[in-house]
Structure formats: structure tokens, C-alpha cells
Amino acid sequence: MERRLITSALPYVNNIPHLGNLIQVLSADVFARYCRLAGYETLYICGTDEYGTATETKALEEGITPRELCDRYHAVHRDIYAWFNIAFDHFGRTSVPVHTETTQHIFLKLHENGYITQHVLRQPYCENDQRFLADRYVLGTCPHCGYPDARGDQCENCGKLLDPTELIEPRCSVCGTKPVIRETTHLFIDLLALLPKLRNWIESAAEKGFWARNAVQMTYAWMRDGLKERAITRDLKWGIPVPLDGFRNKVFYVWFDACIGYISITAEHTPNDWKSWWYAPESVKLFQFIGKDNIPFHTVIFPSSLLGTGENWTTLYHMSSTEYLNYEGGKFSKSKGIGVFGSDAKDTGIPADVWRFYVYYNRPERSDALFTWKDFQEKVNAELIGNLGNLVNRTLQFVSRFYDGVMPAGTPDESFWQDAKKMEAEIAALLDFADHAIQVETLRLRNGLGLEDGRYHDLIG
């Protein structure tokens, strides 16, 4: 049987995961459990995404090193997912030597093939902390709505996208000093030059792998609006060093190296066999489970990076991308502590399997979903306890009352088993993504889409 490589989005390391983060790892876990039961050779890997500005800044705020911060939160993530019974084959991390080696290899191949460019940028610089500031670590007053704590990339209050130079009275988020603008040279991946390779790959991959509808729409929107060169380096200390003269004092942008973590974590888990998973597009299918905010990085940036190397990488087969899970009318927020976090769920004393049931039951597939404590209580009482639990309880009572707790031998009802096997086969076909006709019909029924000639691309019109 085919081999199935399963990943869920690498959670960022600098905080405790909440229920919104759990959706992807739980979804992948459910699918991985099915694949193992069905007899597929299955590898489910995940891990913490540990490099980047957010980690370096939070460590600075807490007065510890980035390594100390990552060690602490990696253990937190690992333990919370273990409590939720997530059956990873390996839960790794990106701040390990093999990740550095893998990322640098892919970069050097891209550079060798002419897909890396360089440009001079003007960026905010904190003279007090002596470092360049990523857009989101410049705070100031929003020029559109007057919100006093807008970030340099987006105002949380009005939602407008911003440039840090637009902020009124800008300040460093760490020390409060007003930044100055300085020039710095960075490396870019030339997505426009890679577009022909990417387009050919997507047109085949999206149809064969039956990508989620929002993944198809967002990916085609990126290509329709025009791909540009995208910066892949940053002026930071905590990150993977750039192995190129003139840039060795810089590190890779976290969203260039994060997806490569799927490869390096596999290599860490099985150093002698990882290539049989990642250099095997003919025999391995890659299934990725993410939230919609991560779609372009998994369908554009990461595939472009692999295609640009000219090597025979295993690339995305099926993309399962969910919408957002919101909390009591607002958004889950790590920074503001809003929502239900893994440690909160554990502290309630409610068994992990109850949480797993509700989070998966409430999975935001077609549109954003809402977590409320009232709905959690009602669904658990009505569906899990009232329906499933009541069925099991009544069955056990019946067997105990009429058969002294032992089921007698009997003749199976052939009609019943035929119906059961038919339903089992239908479910298996959908989980396997094996029957294209069933896949398209299911998408039509669930999303209310009409089909004219059955072609997949009609679904994205």
C-alpha cells in the first residue's frame, strides 16, 4: 500500500497552545489513526517552530535567552499534546542542527539555480536596543482609527494593514524608544521567476489531491494578483545563519525555514530513512493540516522553495485547511490570554477525550466556528452523553438484564452486515481521497456548489 506522510502546522513556541491551535494537530491525529488502522504505512510528524522575532523579543522581555525560552515552551507544548492523546510519531523542534543543515541546503540550491535576489530596504531601527525591528514590533497610533497600540503591520482595532512608517508617534515594543529608519540589504526568493513551475504543479496537485476549497481559492488569488519577490532574511541573532558571503550576519526569515521543519523533523526522527519519505513523490502522499492563515506558505512559498531546487521532493498531495475558531464572540489571543488554553482544559478535570470530541465536532470547515462554554456543555450532554453514551449504556443494560452479561451465539443478519459494510466502504473511500467522483459529490453537497461538467476547476469559479 502507499505510504502516507502527515503533518500539522508547526505551533509557534512562545506561548501555551489554545483550542484553536489544537484543531490542526487533532485533525491530523484523527486521520493518522485511520490510516494506521487501514494498513497504510503512516508517519505523522509535528514540532515547535522556534526561530524568529517573536521568540527573540519575548526572551528579551523575560530576561532569558531564546534557547531557554524555547526549551521551556517546547516542553509545555509536548506535555499538553500528550495529555490530549495526540499520537505523533515524532514531535520535534526547529532549533536543532539538522534543521539548520536542511534549510541551508535548500537555500543554496535556490541560489545556485538563480532564484535568489537581493534588495536594499528601509526598516525601523531601535538605537537603544541596537537592532532592526520587524513591523509588528513597532507600536504607535493608527492613522485610520486613532487606536494607540496599533502594530506596524496591522491595526488590531480597525483591521487596516499598515506600514510602520505610517504610525503616529511610533515606538519600539520592547523599550518604548522612537525608532529611526535605516537601510539594510536582504535576500529574496523570486516567486515571479518560479511561477511557471509553481503553476504547472498546482494545476495538477490541487485536482489530484482534492485540496480544501479555501486552499484552492486563496492560492489562485495569490497567483492572480501577481507573485512578487519575497524577503527570506532578517536582521536578528536568533535564527539559522545565512551561508552566503555578505549576509552571514543575518538569519533566515522564520516563514522561509518553518515549513522546512517538516523535513528536518522527519530527518531527526529517522536519520537513515528520511529520504525515503521526502524524496519519493511516486510512492509517498503528503497530507498537511493547517489553518487558513497558513495556506499561502504551504501552497506557494514552501512548494516554490522545493521546486526551485530542481530536486525530486515529495510535495503536497492533500491540503486540509480550516477556518478560524473564535471564542465567546471574539478571537482567541495568545498575547491577550483570551480563550481556552491547553492548560485550562486540563485543569477543568474534564477528560481529554471529551475535549477531543467537542473540538472535532465543532471543527470550522466551511466557515469560522465559535467556542462557547454553553455550547460545549450542550453538545457534550446531548451528543456524546445523550446519544453515544446512552446507546452504550442501554446496550450493556440489555445484555446484563436478559443474558446475564454474556452475549449468546447467534446467526448474523446478512442484510444488516451488508448495510454496515457498505457504509464502512463509503466512509473509507472519503477518508482515503480515493474515489474522485465521491470526493466531488461530497464537496458539492457540503458546500452547496453546483457542478456543470464535473471538472474540479469549476469549483473555484
Side-chain angles (χ1 to χ4, degrees):
M1 299 184 73
E2 70 187 26
R3 308 171 82 201
R4 293 189 166 183
L5 177 57
I6 301 170
T7 74
S8 51
L10 305 185
Y12 203 68
V13 74
N14 69 338
N15 216 318
I16 299 172
H18 54 64
L19 295 187
N21 306 131
L22 183 67
I23 291 171
Q24 282 74 54
V25 294
L26 176 60
S27 299
D29 180 58
V30 170
F31 183 65
R33 288 170 184 263
Y34 162 74
C35 291
R36 295 182 190 116
L37 287 172
Y40 294 102
E41 185 178 356
T42 303
L43 182 65
Y44 175 23
I45 57 100
C46 189
T48 42
D49 175 12
E50 302 193 354
Y51 286 129
T53 306
T55 297
E56 187 174 287
T57 302
K58 189 173 181 66
L60 184 64
E61 291 172 352
E62 296 192 12
I64 59 177
T65 66
R67 168 61 64 190
E68 290 172 327
L69 184 83
C70 290
D71 288 347
R72 180 208 303 171
Y73 280 109
H74 174 77
V76 169
H77 279 258
R78 179 197 63 210
D79 293 346
I80 285 175
Y81 296 133
W83 183 81
F84 276 107
N85 296 319
I86 304 298
F88 302 115
D89 286 291
H90 185 59
F91 186 74
R93 56 198 307 187
T94 57
S95 62
V96 292
V98 67
H99 183 61
T100 296
E101 295 167 10
T102 308
T103 301
Q104 290 179 340
H105 167 78
I106 289 174
F107 165 76
L108 289 173
K109 295 298 291 185
L110 287 167
H111 184 263
E112 176 185 319
N113 293 337
Y115 294 119
I116 300 297
T117 61
Q118 57 180 278
H119 296 284
V120 176
L121 301 178
R122 290 170 56 81
Q123 289 185 259
Y125 182 85
C126 179
E127 294 180 313
N128 182 66
D129 295 331
Q130 296 187 341
R131 64 190 183 96
F132 283 95
L133 301 175
D135 293 352
R136 63 178 300 170
Y137 290 98
V138 181
L139 301 179
T141 301
C142 175
H144 301 284
C145 69
Y147 180 61
D149 293 315
R151 296 194 314 255
D153 58 347
Q154 186 175 21
C155 176
E156 289 186 355
N157 186 56
C158 68
K160 294 283 189 180
L161 296 178
L162 300 171
D163 184 277
T165 58
E166 296 180 85
L167 293 174
I168 301 170
E169 298 180 357
R171 64 189 186 278
C172 170
S173 66
V174 176
C175 68
T177 300
K178 181 178 180 179
V180 298
I181 302 298
R182 288 191 180 180
E183 290 187 344
T184 179
T185 304
H186 282 291
L187 297 173
F188 290 68
I189 182 171
D190 192 348
L191 294 178
L192 184 59
L194 283 161
L195 182 57
K197 288 179 180 289
L198 180 68
R199 188 186 300 278
N200 288 338
W201 171 76
I202 285 176
E203 288 179 351
S204 172
E207 180 173 357
K208 288 181 179 178
F210 184 56
W211 292 6
R213 182 171 179 244
N214 59 1
V216 175
Q217 290 176 327
M218 189 174 294
T219 301
Y220 272 84
W222 264 53
M223 293 195 299
R224 183 189 63 239
D225 296 340
L227 296 182
K228 304 175 183 177
E229 296 169 304
R230 187 179 181 91
I232 60 169
T233 57
R234 286 290 186 268
D235 291 295
L236 298 172
K237 294 182 175 62
W238 179 244
I240 298 173
V242 177
L244 192 67
D245 288 345
F247 296 90
R248 296 184 187 275
N249 62 333
K250 300 179 189 293
V251 301
F252 286 114
Y253 175 38
V254 66
W255 264 117
F256 175 71
D257 84 84
C259 290
I260 297 172
Y262 301 127
I263 303 171
S264 63
I265 291 171
T266 306
E268 180 186 40
H269 172 58
T270 174
N272 297 322
D273 191 44
W274 72 271
K275 288 185 178 180
S276 74
W277 289 98
W278 281 101
Y279 282 101
E282 295 81 14
S283 61
V284 175
K285 287 184 177 178
L286 173 59
F287 296 80
Q288 299 196 282
F289 292 78
I290 63 170
K292 67 179 179 182
D293 52 334
N294 287 335
I295 288 172
F297 299 103
H298 289 75
T299 62
V300 177
I301 306 295
F302 184 42
S304 293
S305 300
L306 298 183
L307 293 169
T309 66
E311 298 177 325
N312 195 33
W313 290 99
T314 300
T315 52
L316 174 65
Y317 171 66
H318 177 72
M319 169 65 68
S320 177
S321 44
T322 60
E323 303 291 320
Y324 291 132
L325 178 67
N326 296 319
Y327 175 75
E328 296 282 0
K331 290 184 178 180
F332 278 83
S333 172
K334 289 181 180 180
S335 60
K336 295 180 179 179
I338 298 174
V340 181
F341 293 79
S343 52
D344 300 328
K346 185 176 179 180
D347 290 343
T348 62
I350 300 170
D353 281 344
V354 174
W355 286 102
R356 286 173 61 97
F357 156 77
Y358 180 73
V359 170
Y360 203 73
Y361 186 97
N362 201 31
R363 189 173 185 263
E365 296 178 0
R366 286 184 53 194
S367 59
D368 292 353
L370 182 66
F371 174 92
T372 68
W373 286 100
K374 181 180 179 182
D375 187 63
F376 176 47
Q377 181 183 37
E378 290 176 349
K379 291 296 189 301
V380 169
N381 287 337
E383 304 294 340
L384 184 61
I385 298 174
N387 289 338
L388 181 60
N390 193 39
L391 172 64
V392 173
N393 183 60
R394 285 175 177 268
T395 302
L396 292 175
Q397 283 186 343
F398 183 86
V399 173
S400 176
R401 179 180 302 174
F402 296 104
Y403 298 100
D404 295 325
V406 179
M407 282 296 294
T411 302
D413 185 320
E414 191 61 32
S415 175
F416 170 81
W417 285 114
Q418 286 180 354
D419 289 342
K421 289 178 180 178
K422 180 182 178 181
M423 287 187 285
E424 180 185 14
E426 290 174 353
I427 294 170
L430 292 173
L431 284 167
D432 274 337
F433 307 94
D435 186 331
H436 185 71
I438 291 179
Q439 293 166 9
V440 172
E441 177 67 10
T442 301
L443 186 63
R444 184 184 68 81
L445 292 173
R446 294 193 62 183
N447 291 350
L449 297 172
L451 291 175
E452 297 300 328
D453 59 2
R455 294 179 63 249
Y456 180 81
H457 292 294
D458 291 340
L459 300 178
I460 65 170

